[in-house]
Amino acid sequence: MKCERCLNENPLYFYEGTRGIYCRRCIHLGGHQVESLLEIDVKDEYATMPFELSEDQKRVSKLIAKKGLNENVLVEAVCGAGKTELVIELIEKAFSQKLHVGWMIARRQVVLQLAQRLESIFVDQKVIAVCEGYTDVLEGHLVLLTAHQLYRYPQKFDVLIVDEPDAFPFKNNDLLNDLAKVACKNTKIYLTATPDSTLINSNVYHVFLHRRPHQRDLVVPQVIITWKWCQYLILIVYLFRIYKDERVLIFVPTIRLAKRLSTWLRLPMITSQSENQQDVLLDFDRNDKGKLITTTILERGMTFEEVYVIVIESNHSVFDEASLVQISGRVGRSFEKEKGECIFLGSKKSQAIQKCLQRLRHHNSV
Ligand SMILES: [Zn+2]
């Protein structure tokens, strides 16, 4: 026996109710499922790009468009390389063949932001965002959605773009990965700066984008290994002396530490438990000398101009290689201004730190 919705074959999950057999693995996903998506008209052009791509982006974009309708593609693009722009050409090609594209994104906030951006690129198409709080409209030409909404689209997407497969909650989540399999009819396009070895060794065509559009090297973190208490002394020197006039993000491994440090240094903080997340982010974004304590919640998705980054206890196990690469990727993203540094403070040089440095140096050397 197999559940059509989530591919479950484990008999322990099935039970017989009054109205038939249920699957307990996916029964909590009990919303409306889509019968059919909007039909796509054949046109010469679908997208209006707001700016021109760099030569590197053009090359990768062409490759993805060429391969992406026939085989799975892994796009490994460094943080800040502009991975959204890389799949526009592929989406156009899919549209011209009346094929539907779904775009799965880990975070709800990013689904909403990206939908707005894509609306201005695909002006004549119906671009919709489907996530918690936005489930009234389910039929569109291009669907952006969180992983938990995938079950609404069984076999509906000819191409499924999986944005950051290594991010929570998709990473290592068997149910969500199975839902993606059910939703996707043909090919998957993975977009990430930090693919894990399972993905790299799976059956994918692997393309790289090693440089950001501004062509400068990625910022390689400066690693300072010292006693724990000494890390905090160094932090204070940087925050109130060296980076006094800069915008600084301070990453800490746990919510508890974020709270303690915030009280001690009298600085604002943001964690997954903060109720005023939007206000805190807005304040930080507006203040070019702002300081903000954060957990890994800000490791990806958000871009701040000319930001400096300090990681406390960077050898802690929550900071794996992908996390550290993403954190250091917050720095140096501005097109015009070359500004920003990254410091890892730790009591030893963990394997994750070493791998992170190796990966960044490798990108810079290509
Ligand atoms: Zn199921």
Side-chain angles (χ1 to χ4, degrees):
M1 195 170 183
K2 191 173 186 173
C3 171
E4 281 180 18
R5 198 156 66 165
C6 77
L7 304 179
N8 167 48
E9 290 185 86
N10 183 346
L12 290 174
Y13 280 114
F14 294 114
Y15 75 101
E16 207 169 342
T18 45
R19 283 156 63 190
I21 292 171
Y22 296 86
C23 167
R24 270 187 289 228
R25 187 177 182 232
C26 65
I27 194 165
H28 60 289
L29 304 168
H32 180 70
Q33 286 189 310
V34 172
E35 290 292 322
S36 63
L37 288 164
L38 296 185
E39 195 169 327
I40 298 162
D41 295 329
V42 175
K43 290 183 181 187
D44 292 338
E45 234 180 43
Y46 294 91
T48 28
M49 290 295 274
F51 52 83
E52 209 187 332
L53 299 185
S54 71
E55 288 307 312
D56 253 6
Q57 282 177 313
K58 279 185 199 161
R59 174 184 58 83
V60 174
S61 163
K62 289 228 169 331
L63 256 180
I64 299 169
K66 188 177 160 199
K67 298 281 181 185
L69 297 183
N70 305 314
E71 56 186 306
N72 295 334
V73 179
L74 165 58
V75 183
E76 183 174 349
V78 295
C79 297
K83 56 189 165 62
T84 304
E85 291 79 10
L86 300 177
V87 288
I88 303 296
E89 203 174 329
L90 172 71
I91 297 175
E92 274 204 290
K93 192 173 169 190
F95 279 168
S96 71
Q97 298 181 23
K98 295 180 163 247
L99 300 175
H100 284 105
V101 180
W103 193 323
M104 193 219 81
I105 296 159
R107 285 177 49 207
R108 177 178 172 274
Q109 200 60 33
V110 185
V111 169
L112 298 172
Q113 279 168 5
L114 191 58
Q116 263 184 359
R117 253 176 87 191
L118 291 173
E119 261 171 28
S120 63
I121 293 178
F122 295 103
V123 195
D124 299 327
Q125 306 301 309
K126 190 167 179 186
V127 180
I128 59 166
V130 180
C131 53
E132 200 193 327
Y134 292 81
T135 52
D136 292 339
V137 183
L138 298 174
E139 286 96 9
H141 296 113
L142 176 60
V143 182
L144 281 77
L145 73 177
T146 50
H148 285 95
Q149 304 295 335
L150 283 166
Y151 75 94
R152 297 179 186 275
Y153 298 91
Q155 293 292 291
K156 291 295 175 290
F157 301 127
D158 300 282
V159 180
L160 180 65
I161 298 169
V162 182
D163 208 329
E164 306 209 319
D166 51 309
F168 177 82
F170 197 72
K171 183 184 187 178
N172 298 333
N173 185 317
D174 292 339
L175 173 62
L176 296 180
N177 277 275
D178 283 344
L179 293 179
K181 274 184 210 150
V182 176
C184 177
K185 230 187 321 189
N186 192 13
T187 55
K188 292 202 193 87
I189 313 295
Y190 299 97
L191 305 178
T192 175
T194 43
D196 61 20
S197 53
T198 321
L199 186 54
I200 291 172
N201 295 323
S202 66
N203 190 17
V204 289
Y205 182 81
H206 197 163
V207 292
F208 297 90
L209 184 54
H210 294 289
R211 298 200 91 76
R212 292 170 166 175
H214 56 49
Q215 299 298 321
R216 296 193 298 271
D217 275 358
L218 296 168
V219 171
V220 179
Q222 182 192 349
V223 183
I224 302 175
I225 302 299
T226 180
W227 297 289
K228 223 179 220 181
W229 59 268
C230 203
Q231 294 178 36
Y232 292 91
L233 285 184
I234 295 173
L235 174 69
I236 289 170
V237 173
Y238 270 96
L239 283 182
F240 301 110
R241 283 264 175 120
I242 304 172
Y243 293 164
K244 185 162 69 82
D245 296 325
E246 312 295 351
R247 180 183 287 139
V248 188
L249 275 175
I250 305 115
F251 282 88
V252 297
T254 61
I255 293 177
R256 217 178 104 172
L257 187 53
K259 284 180 182 163
R260 273 178 27 202
L261 207 56
S262 170
T263 316
W264 185 45
L265 298 175
R266 295 189 184 154
L267 291 176
M269 63 154 187
I270 184 166
T271 73
S272 56
Q273 291 176 357
S274 307
E275 280 166 14
N276 55 344
Q277 287 182 2
Q278 289 307 324
D279 298 336
V280 174
L281 288 175
L282 217 60
D283 281 348
F284 182 65
D285 201 35
R286 282 198 197 120
N287 181 359
D288 61 7
K289 293 176 187 172
K291 314 279 185 279
L292 179 61
I293 297 165
T294 175
T295 54
T296 53
I297 187 175
L298 287 190
E299 77 178 23
R300 47 179 101 215
M302 299 293 298
T303 298
F304 303 103
E305 285 281 302
E306 299 171 45
V307 75
Y308 286 67
V309 166
I310 301 175
V311 186
I312 282 279
E313 297 187 31
S314 60
N315 55 300
H316 191 285
S317 59
V318 304
F319 296 122
D320 60 12
E321 180 199 355
S323 173
L324 291 172
V325 169
Q326 294 286 349
I327 287 172
S328 64
R330 301 304 98 204
V331 180
R333 294 168 81 111
S334 168
F335 200 87
E336 293 87 21
K337 291 182 184 157
E338 189 174 350
K339 210 173 174 190
E341 293 171 354
C342 179
I343 297 174
F344 288 173
L345 293 164
S347 50
K348 67 172 192 195
K349 205 168 181 176
S350 67
Q351 218 183 28
I353 295 177
Q354 293 176 40
K355 281 187 173 170
C356 163
L357 298 179
Q358 268 169 19
R359 191 189 277 257
L360 297 175
R361 288 191 183 118
H362 170 71
H363 286 306
N364 286 344
S365 71
V366 177

